[in-house]
Amino acid sequence: MNRRNELAGSDFGSLRFRSLGGWVERPVDQQPELEGHVSADVIVVGAGFAGLSTALELTTRGAKVIVLEQEFGGFGASGRNAGYLLGSMGIEFEFFVRRVGIEHARKFIRFYDEAVCYVERRMTELGIDCDYNPSGVIRAAVDPSQEKWLRKCMEVGRELGSVTRFVDQAEMRARGIPPAFLFGSEQRGGTLHPGKYVSGLRRAALQAGVKLYEKTPLLSYGEGPTITCKTARGSASAPLMVLATNAYTPQLGLLRNKVAPIRVSAIETQQLSSKQLASLGWHGREGIITPHLTMESHRLTAHNTMVLTVKKLNYVYGSKTPNVPDNGAYGALAQTLRERFPNLPDLGIQHCWSGYVSVAYDALPVVGVTGAQQNIHYVAGCSGHGLATHSFMGQLLAERINGVENPLLTALHHKTPSMLPEPFQWCALKATFAATRKYDEWTDRKVRKAVATN
Ligand SMILES: Cc1cc2nc3c(=O)[nH]c(=O)nc-3n(C[C@H](O)[C@H](O)[C@H](O)COP(=O)(O)OP(=O)(O)OC[C@H]3O[C@@H](n4cnc5c(N)ncnc54)[C@H](O)[C@@H]3O)c2cc1C
């Protein structure tokens, strides 16, 4: 058995799959399923960052709002992510600029960065304590060959108004950032406990008077001046609907040609002992992401575990979103843990999970209005960066519904490229993942070689 398989196999045998992700449990005050008929000013479907934030913003503006959620608030990606509150640094500028042009790209950047400020403000306004550490986020290289790309991204970003700072090796070491991370670019933001954040939004929405129906999947809807939503045991009607179902939206028959649900995975280690924490030295607990094509993210939690995400993405034929383990991804993450933190060889992995984000071919947000009456609003896209953006979308959509168009929302308007029909979509996405993985493996092999010769 080679070293790689051995690591993946041994870590992996004891891994516990958590079907609800690592941060949330089913709420003790789970709201009752919808029974009978109800009506409101707006029906929001989906209770993640986008749905809860929109419902809350609309209610504050005086609307009567119903939320239909198939499981419970935070069941989707909002309760499963890595908890990075990150703005424009997370997106690939070059690709972006080629797609929409410099002027338009500048406005996108403002949207992404403004979204971070929005969440920071809302946490205070709503009194949500979610272990937020405004440490900044560092996009850190693991191999010197990544410097050119990193600097290029910073340069293009700067031209677009994305504020980042280069952190050199000396500063990285002085700050106690683990030595696998050589140097990087840093941006405002930080890490939080996404379970506490989404539960805080849910609690605030309930307190504000939002009528939340949990365990209530939307099965179908009828269009017209009044939209009627059918659920298993009831129905709801309103003149307006907001689909905040993100990666699950194609299953409702909408946005099938605009976004694909992509599976993203995570592992969480056991709690680090004080000795392990001291040996790590990572005092500022900065959120780290890497410039791999399929990134790695590494962070410490407030309860002293480490959470690693991504490395290997997946797509299920037909845009399906089964809540099942992704063993290949957990194996890759387990190996990454061992390689980036060789001084913690005994640190066990306690569990793993996966979730779905929605991705357009241009990786940009997909937000708009549809229906014969133009009364069905939707929000998706934002790829793996929806913590800030999809929360902020709540304010922007509530303003739009109230007749005030925020220029930051107008700026997101662009033509989303069409997705391919199956089986071509499956083939295209699988081929892309395989190619990016090959490139990333080439980088990682260089890192291993450098470690072996040192
Ligand atoms: C492992 C992982 C790591 C990530 N890390 C980060 C990160 O660090 N930072 C970051 O910014 N982003 C991250 N993301 C992405 C981020 O989590 C998402 O972009 C964000 O949560 C999207 O929020 P949302 O409300 O749009 O969607 P979701 O949270 O997915 O909410 C959609 C909701 O709709 C409900 N629903 C679906 N269909 C129906 C139906 N028919 N009827 C009723 N309800 C329905 C679902 O149950 C779900 O609760 C990560 C994602 C994953 C999976």
PDB file of all heavy atoms in Angstrom, residues 195-231:
ATOM      1  N   GLY A 195     -23.292  27.081  12.142  1.00  0.00           N
ATOM      2  CA  GLY A 195     -24.511  26.538  12.770  1.00  0.00           C
ATOM      3  C   GLY A 195     -25.127  27.569  13.696  1.00  0.00           C
ATOM      4  O   GLY A 195     -26.349  27.790  13.692  1.00  0.00           O
ATOM      5  N   LYS A 196     -24.268  28.233  14.479  1.00  0.00           N
ATOM      6  CA  LYS A 196     -24.795  29.245  15.405  1.00  0.00           C
ATOM      7  C   LYS A 196     -25.312  30.453  14.627  1.00  0.00           C
ATOM      8  O   LYS A 196     -26.290  31.081  15.024  1.00  0.00           O
ATOM      9  CB  LYS A 196     -23.691  29.684  16.378  1.00  0.00           C
ATOM     10  CG  LYS A 196     -23.334  28.629  17.413  1.00  0.00           C
ATOM     11  CD  LYS A 196     -22.345  29.208  18.421  1.00  0.00           C
ATOM     12  CE  LYS A 196     -21.893  28.141  19.412  1.00  0.00           C
ATOM     13  NZ  LYS A 196     -20.842  28.637  20.322  1.00  0.00           N
ATOM     14  N   TYR A 197     -24.639  30.768  13.524  1.00  0.00           N
ATOM     15  CA  TYR A 197     -25.082  31.935  12.735  1.00  0.00           C
ATOM     16  C   TYR A 197     -26.453  31.674  12.100  1.00  0.00           C
ATOM     17  O   TYR A 197     -27.374  32.483  12.233  1.00  0.00           O
ATOM     18  CB  TYR A 197     -24.033  32.279  11.665  1.00  0.00           C
ATOM     19  CG  TYR A 197     -24.474  33.352  10.699  1.00  0.00           C
ATOM     20  CD1 TYR A 197     -24.911  34.591  11.150  1.00  0.00           C
ATOM     21  CD2 TYR A 197     -24.477  33.116   9.318  1.00  0.00           C
ATOM     22  CE1 TYR A 197     -25.333  35.575  10.267  1.00  0.00           C
ATOM     23  CE2 TYR A 197     -24.895  34.098   8.427  1.00  0.00           C
ATOM     24  CZ  TYR A 197     -25.332  35.321   8.909  1.00  0.00           C
ATOM     25  OH  TYR A 197     -25.771  36.288   8.035  1.00  0.00           O
ATOM     26  N   VAL A 198     -26.613  30.518  11.462  1.00  0.00           N
ATOM     27  CA  VAL A 198     -27.898  30.263  10.787  1.00  0.00           C
ATOM     28  C   VAL A 198     -29.006  30.050  11.822  1.00  0.00           C
ATOM     29  O   VAL A 198     -30.148  30.471  11.623  1.00  0.00           O
ATOM     30  CB  VAL A 198     -27.788  29.095   9.763  1.00  0.00           C
ATOM     31  CG1 VAL A 198     -27.697  27.733  10.406  1.00  0.00           C
ATOM     32  CG2 VAL A 198     -28.949  29.133   8.777  1.00  0.00           C
ATOM     33  N   SER A 199     -28.683  29.440  12.960  1.00  0.00           N
ATOM     34  CA  SER A 199     -29.703  29.275  14.009  1.00  0.00           C
ATOM     35  C   SER A 199     -30.085  30.630  14.579  1.00  0.00           C
ATOM     36  O   SER A 199     -31.244  30.854  14.946  1.00  0.00           O
ATOM     37  CB  SER A 199     -29.178  28.382  15.144  1.00  0.00           C
ATOM     38  OG  SER A 199     -28.791  27.139  14.623  1.00  0.00           O
ATOM     39  N   GLY A 200     -29.109  31.550  14.644  1.00  0.00           N
ATOM     40  CA  GLY A 200     -29.395  32.905  15.110  1.00  0.00           C
ATOM     41  C   GLY A 200     -30.325  33.630  14.152  1.00  0.00           C
ATOM     42  O   GLY A 200     -31.258  34.330  14.571  1.00  0.00           O
ATOM     43  N   LEU A 201     -30.108  33.442  12.860  1.00  0.00           N
ATOM     44  CA  LEU A 201     -31.011  34.056  11.866  1.00  0.00           C
ATOM     45  C   LEU A 201     -32.414  33.475  11.997  1.00  0.00           C
ATOM     46  O   LEU A 201     -33.414  34.181  11.927  1.00  0.00           O
ATOM     47  CB  LEU A 201     -30.497  33.785  10.442  1.00  0.00           C
ATOM     48  CG  LEU A 201     -29.288  34.575   9.937  1.00  0.00           C
ATOM     49  CD1 LEU A 201     -28.931  34.128   8.524  1.00  0.00           C
ATOM     50  CD2 LEU A 201     -29.576  36.081   9.955  1.00  0.00           C
ATOM     51  N   ARG A 202     -32.455  32.142  12.207  1.00  0.00           N
ATOM     52  CA  ARG A 202     -33.757  31.461  12.337  1.00  0.00           C
ATOM     53  C   ARG A 202     -34.515  32.001  13.559  1.00  0.00           C
ATOM     54  O   ARG A 202     -35.699  32.318  13.499  1.00  0.00           O
ATOM     55  CB  ARG A 202     -33.511  29.950  12.461  1.00  0.00           C
ATOM     56  CG  ARG A 202     -34.754  29.098  12.668  1.00  0.00           C
ATOM     57  CD  ARG A 202     -34.364  27.621  12.791  1.00  0.00           C
ATOM     58  NE  ARG A 202     -35.486  26.781  13.123  1.00  0.00           N
ATOM     59  CZ  ARG A 202     -35.941  26.608  14.364  1.00  0.00           C
ATOM     60  NH1 ARG A 202     -35.384  27.241  15.381  1.00  0.00           N
ATOM     61  NH2 ARG A 202     -36.985  25.813  14.573  1.00  0.00           N
ATOM     62  N   ARG A 203     -33.785  32.115  14.674  1.00  0.00           N
ATOM     63  CA  ARG A 203     -34.412  32.601  15.911  1.00  0.00           C
ATOM     64  C   ARG A 203     -34.895  34.037  15.702  1.00  0.00           C
ATOM     65  O   ARG A 203     -36.021  34.375  16.064  1.00  0.00           O
ATOM     66  CB  ARG A 203     -33.378  32.541  17.041  1.00  0.00           C
ATOM     67  CG  ARG A 203     -33.937  32.759  18.432  1.00  0.00           C
ATOM     68  CD  ARG A 203     -32.890  32.531  19.509  1.00  0.00           C
ATOM     69  NE  ARG A 203     -31.654  33.268  19.277  1.00  0.00           N
ATOM     70  CZ  ARG A 203     -30.476  32.698  19.001  1.00  0.00           C
ATOM     71  NH1 ARG A 203     -30.376  31.388  18.938  1.00  0.00           N
ATOM     72  NH2 ARG A 203     -29.400  33.439  18.792  1.00  0.00           N
ATOM     73  N   ALA A 204     -34.065  34.873  15.085  1.00  0.00           N
ATOM     74  CA  ALA A 204     -34.440  36.275  14.857  1.00  0.00           C
ATOM     75  C   ALA A 204     -35.667  36.359  13.952  1.00  0.00           C
ATOM     76  O   ALA A 204     -36.556  37.182  14.171  1.00  0.00           O
ATOM     77  CB  ALA A 204     -33.267  37.024  14.234  1.00  0.00           C
ATOM     78  N   ALA A 205     -35.730  35.477  12.945  1.00  0.00           N
ATOM     79  CA  ALA A 205     -36.878  35.492  12.027  1.00  0.00           C
ATOM     80  C   ALA A 205     -38.156  35.107  12.780  1.00  0.00           C
ATOM     81  O   ALA A 205     -39.204  35.754  12.626  1.00  0.00           O
ATOM     82  CB  ALA A 205     -36.625  34.522  10.865  1.00  0.00           C
ATOM     83  N   LEU A 206     -38.063  34.073  13.610  1.00  0.00           N
ATOM     84  CA  LEU A 206     -39.247  33.652  14.377  1.00  0.00           C
ATOM     85  C   LEU A 206     -39.689  34.780  15.313  1.00  0.00           C
ATOM     86  O   LEU A 206     -40.882  35.090  15.407  1.00  0.00           O
ATOM     87  CB  LEU A 206     -38.949  32.377  15.178  1.00  0.00           C
ATOM     88  CG  LEU A 206     -38.778  31.093  14.357  1.00  0.00           C
ATOM     89  CD1 LEU A 206     -38.306  29.936  15.239  1.00  0.00           C
ATOM     90  CD2 LEU A 206     -40.091  30.710  13.664  1.00  0.00           C
ATOM     91  N   GLN A 207     -38.716  35.410  15.968  1.00  0.00           N
ATOM     92  CA  GLN A 207     -39.057  36.492  16.911  1.00  0.00           C
ATOM     93  C   GLN A 207     -39.667  37.686  16.185  1.00  0.00           C
ATOM     94  O   GLN A 207     -40.531  38.362  16.725  1.00  0.00           O
ATOM     95  CB  GLN A 207     -37.806  36.948  17.672  1.00  0.00           C
ATOM     96  CG  GLN A 207     -37.486  36.025  18.839  1.00  0.00           C
ATOM     97  CD  GLN A 207     -36.092  36.267  19.415  1.00  0.00           C
ATOM     98  OE1 GLN A 207     -35.342  37.135  18.955  1.00  0.00           O
ATOM     99  NE2 GLN A 207     -35.731  35.483  20.426  1.00  0.00           N
ATOM    100  N   ALA A 208     -39.250  37.902  14.952  1.00  0.00           N
ATOM    101  CA  ALA A 208     -39.779  39.048  14.186  1.00  0.00           C
ATOM    102  C   ALA A 208     -41.192  38.768  13.652  1.00  0.00           C
ATOM    103  O   ALA A 208     -41.845  39.653  13.125  1.00  0.00           O
ATOM    104  CB  ALA A 208     -38.840  39.366  13.034  1.00  0.00           C
ATOM    105  N   GLY A 209     -41.628  37.508  13.743  1.00  0.00           N
ATOM    106  CA  GLY A 209     -42.985  37.182  13.304  1.00  0.00           C
ATOM    107  C   GLY A 209     -43.057  36.427  11.993  1.00  0.00           C
ATOM    108  O   GLY A 209     -44.143  36.246  11.424  1.00  0.00           O
ATOM    109  N   VAL A 210     -41.911  35.978  11.475  1.00  0.00           N
ATOM    110  CA  VAL A 210     -41.931  35.160  10.253  1.00  0.00           C
ATOM    111  C   VAL A 210     -42.609  33.842  10.585  1.00  0.00           C
ATOM    112  O   VAL A 210     -42.343  33.236  11.620  1.00  0.00           O
ATOM    113  CB  VAL A 210     -40.480  34.886   9.760  1.00  0.00           C
ATOM    114  CG1 VAL A 210     -40.469  33.859   8.644  1.00  0.00           C
ATOM    115  CG2 VAL A 210     -39.813  36.192   9.318  1.00  0.00           C
ATOM    116  N   LYS A 211     -43.515  33.399   9.699  1.00  0.00           N
ATOM    117  CA  LYS A 211     -44.193  32.112   9.932  1.00  0.00           C
ATOM    118  C   LYS A 211     -43.405  31.038   9.197  1.00  0.00           C
ATOM    119  O   LYS A 211     -43.414  30.970   7.972  1.00  0.00           O
ATOM    120  CB  LYS A 211     -45.639  32.220   9.418  1.00  0.00           C
ATOM    121  CG  LYS A 211     -46.516  31.096   9.834  1.00  0.00           C
ATOM    122  CD  LYS A 211     -46.866  31.152  11.313  1.00  0.00           C
ATOM    123  CE  LYS A 211     -47.409  29.797  11.756  1.00  0.00           C
ATOM    124  NZ  LYS A 211     -47.040  29.348  13.059  1.00  0.00           N
ATOM    125  N   LEU A 212     -42.692  30.238   9.973  1.00  0.00           N
ATOM    126  CA  LEU A 212     -41.808  29.221   9.383  1.00  0.00           C
ATOM    127  C   LEU A 212     -42.466  27.852   9.499  1.00  0.00           C
ATOM    128  O   LEU A 212     -42.854  27.429  10.599  1.00  0.00           O
ATOM    129  CB  LEU A 212     -40.466  29.246  10.134  1.00  0.00           C
ATOM    130  CG  LEU A 212     -39.461  28.137   9.873  1.00  0.00           C
ATOM    131  CD1 LEU A 212     -38.983  28.137   8.421  1.00  0.00           C
ATOM    132  CD2 LEU A 212     -38.228  28.307  10.798  1.00  0.00           C
ATOM    133  N   TYR A 213     -42.591  27.175   8.377  1.00  0.00           N
ATOM    134  CA  TYR A 213     -43.096  25.793   8.376  1.00  0.00           C
ATOM    135  C   TYR A 213     -41.933  24.886   8.031  1.00  0.00           C
ATOM    136  O   TYR A 213     -41.364  24.982   6.935  1.00  0.00           O
ATOM    137  CB  TYR A 213     -44.233  25.621   7.361  1.00  0.00           C
ATOM    138  CG  TYR A 213     -45.456  26.442   7.709  1.00  0.00           C
ATOM    139  CD1 TYR A 213     -45.676  27.684   7.123  1.00  0.00           C
ATOM    140  CD2 TYR A 213     -46.390  25.978   8.655  1.00  0.00           C
ATOM    141  CE1 TYR A 213     -46.786  28.453   7.461  1.00  0.00           C
ATOM    142  CE2 TYR A 213     -47.499  26.757   8.999  1.00  0.00           C
ATOM    143  CZ  TYR A 213     -47.682  27.989   8.398  1.00  0.00           C
ATOM    144  OH  TYR A 213     -48.770  28.744   8.740  1.00  0.00           O
ATOM    145  N   GLU A 214     -41.560  24.020   8.986  1.00  0.00           N
ATOM    146  CA  GLU A 214     -40.446  23.101   8.731  1.00  0.00           C
ATOM    147  C   GLU A 214     -40.992  21.727   8.386  1.00  0.00           C
ATOM    148  O   GLU A 214     -42.195  21.474   8.487  1.00  0.00           O
ATOM    149  CB  GLU A 214     -39.507  23.103   9.949  1.00  0.00           C
ATOM    150  CG  GLU A 214     -38.892  24.499  10.125  1.00  0.00           C
ATOM    151  CD  GLU A 214     -37.871  24.635  11.238  1.00  0.00           C
ATOM    152  OE1 GLU A 214     -38.161  24.237  12.374  1.00  0.00           O
ATOM    153  OE2 GLU A 214     -36.767  25.168  10.955  1.00  0.00           O
ATOM    154  N   LYS A 215     -40.149  20.852   7.909  1.00  0.00           N
ATOM    155  CA  LYS A 215     -40.586  19.544   7.401  1.00  0.00           C
ATOM    156  C   LYS A 215     -41.701  19.746   6.377  1.00  0.00           C
ATOM    157  O   LYS A 215     -42.679  18.989   6.320  1.00  0.00           O
ATOM    158  CB  LYS A 215     -41.073  18.665   8.571  1.00  0.00           C
ATOM    159  CG  LYS A 215     -39.945  17.864   9.222  1.00  0.00           C
ATOM    160  CD  LYS A 215     -39.660  16.622   8.400  1.00  0.00           C
ATOM    161  CE  LYS A 215     -38.516  15.796   8.902  1.00  0.00           C
ATOM    162  NZ  LYS A 215     -37.987  14.903   7.853  1.00  0.00           N
ATOM    163  N   THR A 216     -41.588  20.807   5.583  1.00  0.00           N
ATOM    164  CA  THR A 216     -42.641  21.156   4.628  1.00  0.00           C
ATOM    165  C   THR A 216     -42.031  21.418   3.246  1.00  0.00           C
ATOM    166  O   THR A 216     -41.821  22.582   2.862  1.00  0.00           O
ATOM    167  CB  THR A 216     -43.413  22.409   5.118  1.00  0.00           C
ATOM    168  OG1 THR A 216     -43.887  22.182   6.435  1.00  0.00           O
ATOM    169  CG2 THR A 216     -44.591  22.732   4.216  1.00  0.00           C
ATOM    170  N   PRO A 217     -41.706  20.354   2.497  1.00  0.00           N
ATOM    171  CA  PRO A 217     -41.169  20.607   1.155  1.00  0.00           C
ATOM    172  C   PRO A 217     -42.224  21.215   0.227  1.00  0.00           C
ATOM    173  O   PRO A 217     -43.389  20.796   0.274  1.00  0.00           O
ATOM    174  CB  PRO A 217     -40.756  19.219   0.657  1.00  0.00           C
ATOM    175  CG  PRO A 217     -41.156  18.234   1.698  1.00  0.00           C
ATOM    176  CD  PRO A 217     -41.785  18.948   2.853  1.00  0.00           C
ATOM    177  N   LEU A 218     -41.793  22.177  -0.565  1.00  0.00           N
ATOM    178  CA  LEU A 218     -42.648  22.660  -1.651  1.00  0.00           C
ATOM    179  C   LEU A 218     -42.664  21.558  -2.705  1.00  0.00           C
ATOM    180  O   LEU A 218     -41.607  21.136  -3.194  1.00  0.00           O
ATOM    181  CB  LEU A 218     -42.043  23.941  -2.238  1.00  0.00           C
ATOM    182  CG  LEU A 218     -42.660  24.397  -3.561  1.00  0.00           C
ATOM    183  CD1 LEU A 218     -44.081  24.886  -3.355  1.00  0.00           C
ATOM    184  CD2 LEU A 218     -41.803  25.507  -4.190  1.00  0.00           C
ATOM    185  N   LEU A 219     -43.853  21.086  -3.068  1.00  0.00           N
ATOM    186  CA  LEU A 219     -43.947  19.999  -4.051  1.00  0.00           C
ATOM    187  C   LEU A 219     -44.163  20.542  -5.455  1.00  0.00           C
ATOM    188  O   LEU A 219     -43.608  20.057  -6.425  1.00  0.00           O
ATOM    189  CB  LEU A 219     -45.069  19.037  -3.669  1.00  0.00           C
ATOM    190  CG  LEU A 219     -44.901  18.360  -2.279  1.00  0.00           C
ATOM    191  CD1 LEU A 219     -46.091  17.477  -1.964  1.00  0.00           C
ATOM    192  CD2 LEU A 219     -43.596  17.571  -2.210  1.00  0.00           C
ATOM    193  N   SER A 220     -45.019  21.563  -5.546  1.00  0.00           N
ATOM    194  CA  SER A 220     -45.263  22.198  -6.852  1.00  0.00           C
ATOM    195  C   SER A 220     -45.897  23.567  -6.591  1.00  0.00           C
ATOM    196  O   SER A 220     -46.314  23.852  -5.464  1.00  0.00           O
ATOM    197  CB  SER A 220     -46.221  21.332  -7.690  1.00  0.00           C
ATOM    198  OG  SER A 220     -47.475  21.249  -7.029  1.00  0.00           O
ATOM    199  N   TYR A 221     -45.917  24.397  -7.628  1.00  0.00           N
ATOM    200  CA  TYR A 221     -46.584  25.695  -7.456  1.00  0.00           C
ATOM    201  C   TYR A 221     -47.321  26.070  -8.727  1.00  0.00           C
ATOM    202  O   TYR A 221     -46.953  25.659  -9.826  1.00  0.00           O
ATOM    203  CB  TYR A 221     -45.587  26.787  -7.045  1.00  0.00           C
ATOM    204  CG  TYR A 221     -44.472  27.010  -8.017  1.00  0.00           C
ATOM    205  CD1 TYR A 221     -44.618  27.899  -9.094  1.00  0.00           C
ATOM    206  CD2 TYR A 221     -43.247  26.342  -7.869  1.00  0.00           C
ATOM    207  CE1 TYR A 221     -43.579  28.108  -9.991  1.00  0.00           C
ATOM    208  CE2 TYR A 221     -42.215  26.542  -8.772  1.00  0.00           C
ATOM    209  CZ  TYR A 221     -42.386  27.422  -9.827  1.00  0.00           C
ATOM    210  OH  TYR A 221     -41.361  27.628 -10.718  1.00  0.00           O
ATOM    211  N   GLY A 222     -48.411  26.809  -8.537  1.00  0.00           N
ATOM    212  CA  GLY A 222     -49.189  27.293  -9.681  1.00  0.00           C
ATOM    213  C   GLY A 222     -48.938  28.777  -9.842  1.00  0.00           C
ATOM    214  O   GLY A 222     -48.964  29.536  -8.868  1.00  0.00           O
ATOM    215  N   GLU A 223     -48.649  29.184 -11.062  1.00  0.00           N
ATOM    216  CA  GLU A 223     -48.343  30.595 -11.325  1.00  0.00           C
ATOM    217  C   GLU A 223     -49.599  31.419 -11.549  1.00  0.00           C
ATOM    218  O   GLU A 223     -50.679  30.875 -11.743  1.00  0.00           O
ATOM    219  CB  GLU A 223     -47.478  30.689 -12.580  1.00  0.00           C
ATOM    220  CG  GLU A 223     -46.055  30.293 -12.344  1.00  0.00           C
ATOM    221  CD  GLU A 223     -45.181  30.696 -13.517  1.00  0.00           C
ATOM    222  OE1 GLU A 223     -45.372  31.809 -14.040  1.00  0.00           O
ATOM    223  OE2 GLU A 223     -44.326  29.894 -13.908  1.00  0.00           O
ATOM    224  N   GLY A 224     -49.464  32.721 -11.544  1.00  0.00           N
ATOM    225  CA  GLY A 224     -50.566  33.655 -11.788  1.00  0.00           C
ATOM    226  C   GLY A 224     -50.343  34.873 -10.937  1.00  0.00           C
ATOM    227  O   GLY A 224     -49.320  34.975 -10.258  1.00  0.00           O
ATOM    228  N   PRO A 225     -51.317  35.813 -10.916  1.00  0.00           N
ATOM    229  CA  PRO A 225     -51.165  36.994 -10.045  1.00  0.00           C
ATOM    230  C   PRO A 225     -51.022  36.560  -8.586  1.00  0.00           C
ATOM    231  O   PRO A 225     -50.372  37.221  -7.787  1.00  0.00           O
ATOM    232  CB  PRO A 225     -52.453  37.779 -10.268  1.00  0.00           C
ATOM    233  CG  PRO A 225     -53.044  37.239 -11.532  1.00  0.00           C
ATOM    234  CD  PRO A 225     -52.551  35.844 -11.721  1.00  0.00           C
ATOM    235  N   THR A 226     -51.686  35.414  -8.265  1.00  0.00           N
ATOM    236  CA  THR A 226     -51.452  34.810  -6.952  1.00  0.00           C
ATOM    237  C   THR A 226     -50.766  33.471  -7.185  1.00  0.00           C
ATOM    238  O   THR A 226     -51.225  32.657  -7.990  1.00  0.00           O
ATOM    239  CB  THR A 226     -52.798  34.583  -6.212  1.00  0.00           C
ATOM    240  OG1 THR A 226     -53.417  35.859  -6.029  1.00  0.00           O
ATOM    241  CG2 THR A 226     -52.578  33.923  -4.858  1.00  0.00           C
ATOM    242  N   ILE A 227     -49.678  33.255  -6.468  1.00  0.00           N
ATOM    243  CA  ILE A 227     -48.953  31.985  -6.605  1.00  0.00           C
ATOM    244  C   ILE A 227     -49.453  31.043  -5.520  1.00  0.00           C
ATOM    245  O   ILE A 227     -49.576  31.437  -4.357  1.00  0.00           O
ATOM    246  CB  ILE A 227     -47.435  32.216  -6.438  1.00  0.00           C
ATOM    247  CG1 ILE A 227     -46.935  33.116  -7.553  1.00  0.00           C
ATOM    248  CG2 ILE A 227     -46.657  30.905  -6.437  1.00  0.00           C
ATOM    249  CD1 ILE A 227     -45.573  33.685  -7.314  1.00  0.00           C
ATOM    250  N   THR A 228     -49.755  29.813  -5.914  1.00  0.00           N
ATOM    251  CA  THR A 228     -50.186  28.844  -4.901  1.00  0.00           C
ATOM    252  C   THR A 228     -49.165  27.715  -4.817  1.00  0.00           C
ATOM    253  O   THR A 228     -48.857  27.060  -5.813  1.00  0.00           O
ATOM    254  CB  THR A 228     -51.585  28.281  -5.243  1.00  0.00           C
ATOM    255  OG1 THR A 228     -52.479  29.396  -5.328  1.00  0.00           O
ATOM    256  CG2 THR A 228     -52.084  27.335  -4.152  1.00  0.00           C
ATOM    257  N   CYS A 229     -48.645  27.534  -3.603  1.00  0.00           N
ATOM    258  CA  CYS A 229     -47.635  26.500  -3.358  1.00  0.00           C
ATOM    259  C   CYS A 229     -48.298  25.287  -2.731  1.00  0.00           C
ATOM    260  O   CYS A 229     -49.029  25.416  -1.743  1.00  0.00           O
ATOM    261  CB  CYS A 229     -46.580  27.018  -2.389  1.00  0.00           C
ATOM    262  SG  CYS A 229     -45.607  28.350  -3.062  1.00  0.00           S
ATOM    263  N   LYS A 230     -48.024  24.112  -3.313  1.00  0.00           N
ATOM    264  CA  LYS A 230     -48.612  22.882  -2.763  1.00  0.00           C
ATOM    265  C   LYS A 230     -47.564  22.163  -1.924  1.00  0.00           C
ATOM    266  O   LYS A 230     -46.415  21.992  -2.340  1.00  0.00           O
ATOM    267  CB  LYS A 230     -49.041  21.953  -3.904  1.00  0.00           C
ATOM    268  CG  LYS A 230     -50.222  22.457  -4.709  1.00  0.00           C
ATOM    269  CD  LYS A 230     -51.476  21.630  -4.366  1.00  0.00           C
ATOM    270  CE  LYS A 230     -52.693  22.056  -5.189  1.00  0.00           C
ATOM    271  NZ  LYS A 230     -53.201  23.401  -4.838  1.00  0.00           N
ATOM    272  N   THR A 231     -47.979  21.737  -0.733  1.00  0.00           N
ATOM    273  CA  THR A 231     -47.117  20.919   0.111  1.00  0.00           C
ATOM    274  C   THR A 231     -47.874  19.620   0.418  1.00  0.00           C
ATOM    275  O   THR A 231     -49.033  19.475  -0.014  1.00  0.00           O
ATOM    276  CB  THR A 231     -46.755  21.667   1.406  1.00  0.00           C
ATOM    277  OG1 THR A 231     -47.931  21.818   2.187  1.00  0.00           O
ATOM    278  CG2 THR A 231     -46.142  23.033   1.115  1.00  0.00           C
TER     279      THR A 231
END
